[in-house]
Amino acid sequence: MKQTLSALGLVFSLGLAAAPATAQELTPEEVKQLALEAILENPEIIMQAVEILQSRENEAQQLEAEEVLTSRRDELENDPNAPVLGNPEGDVTVVEFFDYNCPYCKRSVPTVTELLNNDSNVRLVLREWPILGAESVLASRAALAAREQGKYEEMHNELMALNGRATETTIMEAAERAGLDTEQLRTDMEAPEIDEHFNQSAALARALGFSGTPSFVIGDELVPGFVELGVLEELVEASRTSG
């Protein structure tokens, strides 16, 4: 509603600016009528208003994201409740927000794996962000619970390799393939640390302006969506150079 009113306000302002100048005093109703006539004669004003509003929103979001990266960097990159793959002592940290039922997240797996294989100085911080339904939440619970048996990476890989959506049955089958004790896993899936991880992922994603998965943070760059290997490597190198 607020965005709609802002757009209408911009349209009105642009319409008034496009209206012919007049020396006489105008009533509010006459001003509105004048602006409306200008808009009807110049319909491109509406698109101008939308573009201006979008530009303002993008700038505001960028500033907010920069503030989050400054004030919450340690939380984002060094949360002890977030799994880390690659080199834990690496000089560049890549943070990935993902969902096991997201096809683009699954498509990103070979790319991210190749990045880690090609660059032994990359830390990959994984933020489980299950936003695609109850089965996504269940899959993420199982993955995070697998840490108690020292098999997070194995479970993560099995879940990402699933064909189609994860379900309770396929999640537990994945756990067996990963070599997990499924009875212990079910118990560990209720640990409060898992809910804490979810809540923190959601809060960070919201603060950074992410709206879907996968989404990456590499240094000071926010990268929503699937990214080709070459782009990831360039962003990692840029972060390494600037750091």
Side-chain angles (χ1 to χ4, degrees), residues 18-39:
T22 179
Q24 75 177 88
E25 292 291 329
L26 297 175
T27 67
E29 288 303 318
E30 288 172 330
V31 170
K32 291 177 184 178
Q33 182 61 36
L34 199 59
L36 178 59
E37 290 174 0
I39 291 169

Side-chain angles (χ1 to χ4, degrees), residues 105-160:
C105 297
K106 293 183 178 183
R107 184 181 167 196
S108 294
V109 170
T111 302
V112 174
T113 299
E114 190 169 355
L115 172 70
L116 297 181
N117 289 339
N118 293 347
D119 191 329
S120 61
N121 265 323
V122 172
R123 295 175 70 241
L124 176 64
V125 175
L126 292 170
R127 293 239 53 114
E128 305 260 352
W129 189 28
I131 56 176
L132 298 177
E135 291 167 332
S136 291
V137 173
L138 191 65
S140 283
R141 283 191 178 281
L144 291 171
R147 294 180 295 182
E148 294 299 316
Q149 299 181 52
K151 290 186 175 292
Y152 174 83
E153 185 171 3
E154 292 87 343
M155 186 59 173
H156 173 77
N157 290 337
E158 288 291 345
L159 290 171
M160 279 300 191

Side-chain angles (χ1 to χ4, degrees), residues 11 15 36 56 98 142 149 165 205 209 223:
V11 169
L36 178 59
R56 289 179 181 176
F98 67 95
Q149 299 181 52
R165 287 186 62 83
V223 190

Side-chain angles (χ1 to χ4, degrees), residues 51-70:
E51 290 172 3
I52 291 171
L53 182 62
Q54 187 64 55
S55 176
R56 289 179 181 176
E57 289 180 344
N58 289 343
E59 289 175 6
Q61 188 175 77
Q62 172 104 25
L63 289 172
E64 184 178 353
E66 288 174 1
E67 172 60 27
V68 172
L69 288 174
T70 299

